[in-house]
Amino acid sequence: MISLMFQGITAFCITLVSLVFLSKIAPLFGLLDKPNDRKKHKGEVPLVGGIALFIALSLGGIIWGSNEQISLKANGRDAL
């Protein structure tokens, strides 16, 4: 249970750091949502939330994962 809590905290912290960093470089790559008739937000909004989550889940899996968790079975035998 404790390791699950640490995994969640790790993913949360990585997500926050990724969001801050990616929000600053989003204009360089054109990852901004601009307001128009359909969108009522004010100013340009960075579109980096999905990228930040992907980074957090990937790094969390690398940090907390183990090779023993990855096992595929086919017909009762290990496939890898």
Side-chain angles (χ1 to χ4, degrees):
M1 180 77 166
I2 297 292
S3 69
L4 186 61
M5 181 178 67
F6 285 128
Q7 290 173 13
I9 291 170
T10 302
F12 179 75
C13 292
I14 293 172
T15 302
L16 285 179
V17 170
S18 298
L19 278 172
V20 170
F21 175 72
L22 291 171
S23 294
K24 292 182 181 186
I25 65 169
L28 298 173
F29 295 101
L31 293 173
L32 297 173
D33 189 20
K34 299 176 177 128
N36 59 23
D37 297 339
R38 190 172 54 92
K39 302 170 192 165
K40 302 299 180 192
H41 55 82
K42 296 191 182 345
E44 297 176 335
V45 177
L47 299 172
V48 293
I51 299 169
L53 284 174
F54 176 77
I55 291 170
L57 292 176
S58 298
L59 288 177
I62 290 169
I63 293 169
W64 290 98
S66 73
N67 292 336
E68 292 145 9
Q69 293 175 343
I70 302 170
S71 65
L72 296 175
K73 297 204 178 260
N75 297 327
R77 295 187 219 158
D78 289 335
L80 294 176

